Amino acid sequence: MSTEIRTKRLTTRDIRARKGVEPVVVLTAYTTPMARLLDPHVDVLLVGDSLGMVLYGMDTTLGVTLDMMINHGKAVMRGAQRSLVVVDMPFASYQESPQQAFRNAARIMSETGCGAVKLEGGREMAETIAFLTGRGVPVMAHIGLMPQAVNTAGGFRAHGRNEDEAAVIRADARAVTEAGAFCVVIEGTVEPVARALTAEIAIPTIGIGASAACDGQVLVTEDIMGLFSDFTPKFVKRYADLSPIISQTASDYAAEVKARIFPGREHCFGLPKTPKD
Ligand code: KIV
């Protein structure tokens, strides 16, 4: 194995070439400091529209706007040096027509400098994906459970449990592959279906609640850090529990302010470090 430190940013071609070679590691990021911390450890930083729920306290992702995604995309780009940064297209910014999708994807790409966009949808979005990829916009597709379609899909539930649903997801995977997506997120999908379509298509599948059979995995960073507890899906593994640490830190600070312990002399301008200095 090479000891050379890779500083060049990963591209969509690098991710595409990982199929069958090495798992693709993806986490969400919405801010510069988090992007800086995650960047050395992941291949892709996804500026997901999950930020509506995680950062802004929304009940669904439907209220997220293009401007919100662009602002957070810029912030993540400032913190990421090595990872490919992918920015989600929010609800109603691409479903109307391929032309609408291109106009908004072009804004995301040119204003943030990110490497690709992500959009939800299978066969119904194939024409749009082909339109974008044919015009210089790399696309990460997203099929299976699609949070932007929560109102028509009957809520957040696992997909592919019966033959009809399995056939739909497999057809969606083939359609987005043929349309030119460089990889595809498979969300909330039963293992046998995720396994079958991963074997079937030529691009990497990035699973979230879709088993280890996928070519890579993505999770929401705040979920694995224990920073978002409104709702924790079954497929999330909590690697750390940072909420109590943050709570304790705020409580320690508040206690010191109230007791006039903070700020100490060392934090003040115009005072010697100790009274006798
Ligand atoms: O919005 C998001 O963060 C996502 C991932 C969870 C796949 O779409």
Side-chain angles (χ1 to χ4, degrees), residues 82-103:
R82 174 190 174 275
S83 321
L84 171 70
V85 175
V86 178
V87 178
D88 241 343
M89 297 197 71
F91 179 65
S93 72
Y94 62 95
Q95 289 92 342
E96 197 178 309
S97 66
Q99 288 76 7
Q100 182 215 23
F102 181 77
R103 224 173 15 255

Side-chain angles (χ1 to χ4, degrees), residues 32-72:
T32 305
M34 190 60 92
R36 275 199 192 112
L37 288 169
L38 304 179
D39 187 55
H41 309 288
V42 302
D43 302 308
V44 179
L45 284 173
L46 173 64
V47 188
D49 63 353
S50 51
L51 63 78
M53 298 166 78
V54 176
L55 291 190
Y56 291 87
M58 297 174 173
D59 289 335
T60 70
T61 56
L62 301 184
V64 174
T65 65
L66 192 62
D67 285 339
M68 286 162 80
M69 295 310 301
I70 289 174
N71 286 336
H72 286 280

Side-chain angles (χ1 to χ4, degrees), residues 4-252:
E4 178 199 338
I5 296 172
R6 196 186 220 291
T7 49
K8 209 165 123 300
R9 192 186 289 284
L10 290 165
T11 66
T12 55
R13 285 173 71 97
D14 296 325
I15 302 303
R16 167 79 184 69
R18 288 284 193 82
K19 178 88 183 176
V21 177
E22 195 188 342
V24 182
V25 183
V26 187
L27 278 173
T28 58
Y30 316 128
T31 64
T32 305
M34 190 60 92
R36 275 199 192 112
L37 288 169
L38 304 179
D39 187 55
H41 309 288
V42 302
D43 302 308
V44 179
L45 284 173
L46 173 64
V47 188
D49 63 353
S50 51
L51 63 78
M53 298 166 78
V54 176
L55 291 190
Y56 291 87
M58 297 174 173
D59 289 335
T60 70
T61 56
L62 301 184
V64 174
T65 65
L66 192 62
D67 285 339
M68 286 162 80
M69 295 310 301
I70 289 174
N71 286 336
H72 286 280
K74 285 181 188 167
V76 169
M77 280 300 291
R78 286 183 207 114
Q81 291 187 341
R82 174 190 174 275
S83 321
L84 171 70
V85 175
V86 178
V87 178
D88 241 343
M89 297 197 71
F91 179 65
S93 72
Y94 62 95
Q95 289 92 342
E96 197 178 309
S97 66
Q99 288 76 7
Q100 182 215 23
F102 181 77
R103 224 173 15 255
N104 290 327
R107 264 198 72 194
I108 293 177
M109 301 281 298
S110 63
E111 292 182 36
T112 68
C114 72
V117 298
K118 176 167 85 58
L119 57 84
E120 296 180 12
R123 285 160 303 165
E124 73 283 12
M125 279 299 140
E127 187 193 348
T128 295
I129 294 172
F131 193 88
L132 295 181
T133 54
R135 286 161 180 76
V137 179
V139 176
M140 173 186 269
H142 183 154
I143 62 172
L145 193 168
M146 292 177 271
Q148 292 179 15
V150 62
N151 290 319
T152 47
F156 295 98
R157 59 179 183 86
H159 286 239
R161 286 195 191 278
N162 59 52
E163 276 182 23
D164 287 350
E165 272 191 17
V168 164
I169 300 172
R170 287 170 72 165
D172 282 346
R174 285 194 295 272
V176 299
T177 305
E178 280 160 24
F182 73 94
C183 69
V184 55
V185 169
I186 316 283
E187 179 161 356
T189 296
V190 297
E191 199 265 4
V193 175
R195 180 176 294 282
L197 68 85
T198 297
E200 242 166 50
I201 63 174
I203 58 175
T205 56
I206 312 294
I208 172 161
S211 86
C214 294
D215 298 303
Q217 297 294 325
V218 56
L219 281 174
V220 170
T221 297
E222 283 72 3
D223 280 340
I224 71 167
M225 308 270 174
L227 285 171
F228 181 66
S229 49
D230 288 10
F231 168 65
T232 307
K234 171 186 166 71
F235 54 76
V236 168
K237 178 168 176 182
R238 193 173 275 191
Y239 286 83
D241 194 8
L242 301 187
S243 292
I245 297 173
I246 293 176
S247 234
Q248 188 59 53
T249 306
S251 155
D252 291 349

Side-chain angles (χ1 to χ4, degrees), residues 261-274:
I261 294 170
F262 178 83
R265 298 179 72 84
E266 67 278 28
H267 305 117
C268 292
F269 298 106
L271 274 185
K273 281 205 182 84
T274 57

